[in-house]
Amino acid sequence: MKKKSVYIENYGCQMNISDSDIINSILLNNGFILSENLNQANIILLNACSIREKAELTIKKRLEQLKFLKKKKKIWIGIIGCFSKQIKNIFLQHKIVDFFVNPNSYREIHNFINYSIIGKQYDHVENKNETYADISFVKTKQRNNKITTFLSITRGCNNMCTFCIVPFTRGRERSSDPYSIIMECKRLYKNGYKEITLLGQNVDSYLWIDHNNLISNYKNTVDFSILLNLLAQEIPFMRIRFSTSNPHDMSDEVLKVISKYKNICKHIHLPVQSGSNKILKLMNRKYTREKYLFLVKKIKSIIPECSISHDIMTGFCNENEEDHQDTISLMNEIKYNYGYMFSYSPRPGTYAYRRLKDNVPTKIKKRRLKEIIDLQKNHSFYRMKEHLGKIEEVLIEGESKKNNQYWYGRNSQNLVVVFPKKNLNIGDLAYVKITDTTSATLIGEFCK
Ligand code: 5AD
Ligand code: SF4
C-alpha cells in the first residue's frame, strides 16, 4: 500500500473539532498524511456526534453515501468521536465501518487504522483519565488561516443529566494540568492565534490538584477562577473565551475574574434547558428556576456588559403546557442575547431513555420549539439594539460572506459585527461604531 492518507469529516460540537487537531498531530507523528480531499484519501474518519437523534441520522446517511465510494475503491472507514455502545451497534448494521475509536483512545488511533488495514481488530483498553494535555495541535490547511481556536481543558462529565449521552460517550470528568494549558496557549499565540476558547462540558468544575505546588500563591488547588486569572496574565494580548458553564457550578470568583480582565470576553453560555422546576428536576439539573434567575442577576451586577446565551430543550418527558409557559416566562424575564434550541430526542442508554416516557407528541414538540425560536429572535433583536451608537472592540476574523467589501468579526459579547474594510487585516482589533443591526448581526463603521 502506498501512502496512508487520512481525511477527517467533522460532525458535532467544538470539542469534536478540537479533538480533530489532536488526532492530526498523532497521525502525523506516526507516518500518515492528512488529506483535505475525500477522494484523495484512503482512510476516512467520521468524527461522530450522537447528542441528538438528528446528528445520528446524519452519520447514518453519510455511511449510506460512502457505501458507493467503498465499492469503487479500497478505502477504510472509521468512526471516531461520540457514540455509545448502543449507537455503535446501530452504525455496525451498515457493514461498512472498519473500526471505531472512542475519545479516550485517540493516542492509539494509528494502531486502530494499521490493524484494520491488515484485516485485524486492535485490542485496546481505553484510558479513562486521558486529557491529551501533552499534545500540541496541528491545524489542517482548512483552518490554517484562522486566528481563533479551541483548547479542551476538561473532558467528560459527571453531571448525569437524565437526557444526556455525553457521560456515556466521553466518560468521567477530568481536567488538564494548568502548566500544559498555559504553555499551549502561549504556543498558539506565537503561531498567530488571537483568541482561544477554553472548552469543557462543564468548564466551571475545572479542578487540578497541584501536588508539586508549582503555582505559588494558590495553595495546591487550581480551580477555574484561578486558571482564568493565570491565563489572563500569561497571554495578555490573546482574547479568552470559555464554554460551557453549568449554572450549578458557576462561582462568584469566576465572575469577578471575568470582570477584572479586559482580555476575558464578556459572554457566558449558560444552558438552562427549561424554566420549569418540575422539568429541571426530571432532567437532574441541579438548580431551580429561582437559583438560575438569581445567578443571571448576579452576572449582570458583577459584569453589566456581559451577554448571556442559552440552550433550551422543548418537549422533555412529561412537559405540559404550563411547563412550556414557565420556559417562555423565564426567557421573557432574561431576554437572552442568543441561544440554541432543540426538541428532545431520547438517547439510548440514558436514564430518561430507560426510565421516563417520551410522551410529548412530535407535533407539540415542534410547535413549542417554533414558539421559543420566534421569541428568541425578538429578544436577540432587542438585545442587539442596545449596542447601537456604541464603539466596540472587534477582532477581525475574515471577509463578510455577504459582501467582500466588509470585514467580519466578533465583539467581546460574541456578537457578529460587520463593517466596511479599511486598511486592516485579519487578526487586527478594530474599534467599530455600531450604526445598524439585524437580530443576528451588528453593522458598523470603523473608528480606529
Ligand atoms: N435531546 C435534545 N437535545 C439535547 N441536548 C442534549 N441532549 C439532548 C437530547 N437528548 C441539548 C442540550 C444541551 C445541548 C448541547 O444539546 O440542550 O445543552
Ligand atoms: Fe450532558 Fe448535563 Fe454533562 Fe451537559 S452537564 S454534558 S447536558 S450531562
Side-chain angles (χ1 to χ4, degrees):
M1 185 186 175
K2 30 183 212 302
K3 292 171 199 160
K4 290 179 275 187
S5 168
V6 182
Y7 175 81
I8 306 183
E9 214 162 82
N10 276 317
Y11 299 87
C13 62
Q14 298 165 329
M15 185 77 88
N16 267 10
I17 297 173
S18 160
D19 279 356
S20 286
D21 293 334
I22 291 170
I23 293 164
N24 286 338
S25 303
I26 295 167
L27 290 176
L28 282 177
N29 285 337
N30 286 284
F32 288 77
I33 301 175
L34 305 176
S35 174
E36 299 285 327
N37 185 332
L38 173 80
N39 294 313
Q40 284 164 8
N42 43 17
I43 297 139
I44 295 165
L45 301 177
L46 302 185
N47 199 353
C49 167
S50 50
I51 192 124
R52 286 172 290 277
E53 196 183 10
K54 209 170 163 198
E56 186 191 315
L57 293 176
T58 310
I59 308 281
K60 282 192 201 161
K61 237 196 219 158
R62 191 66 182 130
L63 287 175
E64 284 304 314
Q65 292 166 349
L66 290 175
K67 237 181 210 170
F68 294 105
L69 192 63
K70 198 158 173 151
K71 271 187 197 149
K72 276 202 286 185
K73 67 184 243 202
K74 187 85 193 132
I75 53 170
W76 286 265
I77 296 175
I79 291 199
I80 60 174
C82 289
F83 53 86
S84 62
K85 267 189 209 134
Q86 288 90 336
I87 288 170
K88 179 176 171 178
N89 288 334
I90 297 171
F91 289 151
L92 270 174
Q93 290 164 8
H94 289 258
K95 298 209 165 75
I96 63 159
V97 183
D98 297 291
F99 58 93
F100 289 84
V101 190
N102 87 28
N104 293 335
S105 302
Y106 290 154
R107 213 175 271 276
E108 296 290 323
I109 193 160
H110 52 289
N111 286 326
F112 280 91
I113 300 174
N114 288 334
Y115 269 66
S116 178
I117 287 171
I118 56 167
K120 290 188 176 169
Q121 287 238 333
Y122 183 62
D123 267 337
H124 173 251
V125 183
E126 68 177 290
N127 176 3
K128 293 188 170 157
N129 297 319
E130 181 62 85
T131 61
Y132 303 108
D134 57 317
I135 293 185
S136 286
F137 294 177
V138 173
K139 305 283 173 195
T140 55
K141 252 200 223 129
Q142 260 170 5
R143 302 192 55 221
N144 263 349
N145 39 19
K146 285 215 162 190
I147 46 115
T148 63
T149 190
F150 310 117
L151 179 67
S152 297
I153 60 162
T154 71
R155 292 186 157 262
C157 185
N158 288 351
N159 281 333
M160 300 304 283
C161 300
T162 55
F163 54 80
C164 186
I165 200 152
V166 168
F168 302 94
T169 61
R170 289 195 168 263
R172 307 291 287 173
E173 189 177 283
R174 63 273 181 187
S175 302
S176 298
D177 75 89
Y179 318 106
S180 69
I181 296 172
I182 293 168
M183 259 171 49
E184 187 63 8
C185 286
K186 284 186 168 173
R187 194 186 69 86
L188 289 166
Y189 180 68
K190 265 199 198 141
N191 287 336
Y193 287 93
K194 299 286 164 65
E195 184 184 288
I196 182 93
T197 302
L198 309 173
L199 293 181
Q201 257 72 40
N202 188 4
V203 281
D204 291 78
S205 63
Y206 175 90
L207 194 66
W208 177 260
I209 311 297
D210 189 12
H211 293 294
N212 303 327
N213 210 1
L214 292 178
I215 299 188
S216 54
N217 305 330
Y218 291 116
K219 301 212 177 74
N220 59 2
T221 307
V222 180
D223 65 12
F224 188 51
S225 69
I226 295 171
L227 180 73
L228 266 185
N229 203 34
L230 280 166
L231 274 177
Q233 293 175 33
E234 294 280 348
I235 44 167
F237 303 111
M238 202 166 182
R239 270 186 170 186
I240 301 170
R241 299 188 186 277
F242 56 86
S243 186
T244 293
S245 293
N246 189 308
H248 175 251
D249 296 299
M250 182 144 240
S251 72
D252 291 8
E253 281 67 38
V254 167
L255 298 178
K256 284 178 200 156
V257 176
I258 299 171
S259 81
K260 186 170 156 195
Y261 292 99
K262 192 166 170 264
N263 59 331
I264 304 182
C265 290
K266 309 295 182 257
H267 165 237
I268 297 176
H269 184 59
L270 200 65
V272 65
Q273 312 299 357
S274 170
S276 151
N277 279 335
K278 179 189 101 188
I279 297 298
L280 289 174
K281 197 152 186 222
L282 279 174
M283 287 176 167
N284 193 32
R285 301 289 288 183
K286 295 173 185 107
Y287 52 86
T288 58
R289 171 193 176 95
E290 292 72 27
K291 280 202 174 137
Y292 185 93
L293 286 169
F294 182 73
L295 176 61
V296 169
K297 268 203 185 122
K298 201 156 57 179
I299 293 172
K300 293 282 182 184
S301 76
I302 298 176
I303 321 160
E305 73 276 36
C306 194
S307 64
I308 302 180
S309 55
H310 66 78
D311 289 347
I312 293 178
M313 204 190 309
T314 60
F316 188 61
C317 315
N318 297 345
E319 185 191 72
N320 60 27
E321 225 33 58
E322 203 181 313
D323 301 314
H324 175 56
Q325 287 309 320
D326 282 348
T327 299
I328 293 212
S329 74
L330 179 124
M331 289 176 76
N332 278 326
E333 209 164 314
I334 295 173
K335 295 194 178 63
Y336 291 97
N337 293 77
Y338 62 95
Y340 302 97
M341 290 149 281
F342 317 98
S343 65
Y344 169 63
S345 55
R347 304 284 61 217
T350 60
Y351 178 90
Y353 180 89
R354 286 180 284 117
R355 308 292 286 273
L356 304 173
K357 264 209 177 111
D358 177 26
N359 52 6
V360 179
T362 308
K363 210 170 145 196
I364 295 182
K365 279 184 187 171
K366 279 195 178 154
R367 193 254 299 152
R368 290 182 189 160
L369 181 61
K370 184 176 180 319
E371 280 175 21
I372 61 166
I373 289 175
D374 290 347
L375 183 63
Q376 183 52 55
K377 229 183 183 170
N378 291 339
H379 291 163
S380 295
F381 193 44
Y382 169 89
R383 288 291 179 203
M384 290 301 238
K385 282 193 284 194
E386 292 179 336
H387 293 262
L388 288 174
K390 290 189 179 160
I391 294 175
E392 308 203 322
E393 193 186 74
V394 178
L395 177 63
I396 301 177
E397 290 182 42
E399 249 171 29
S400 157
K401 279 196 191 111
K402 285 195 185 145
N403 185 339
N404 65 6
Q405 296 307 304
Y406 278 61
W407 286 125
Y408 151 99
R410 277 171 302 142
N411 65 6
S412 176
Q413 286 78 14
N414 208 28
L415 306 171
V416 171
V417 182
V418 296
F419 62 99
K421 276 186 181 172
K422 290 273 155 152
N423 212 2
L424 297 159
N425 292 306
I426 293 174
D428 286 347
L429 276 177
Y431 286 87
V432 177
K433 182 167 183 185
I434 308 300
T435 53
D436 201 359
T437 184
T438 69
S439 62
T441 309
L442 296 167
I443 301 143
E445 285 163 4
F446 172 70
C447 290
K448 64 175 168 124

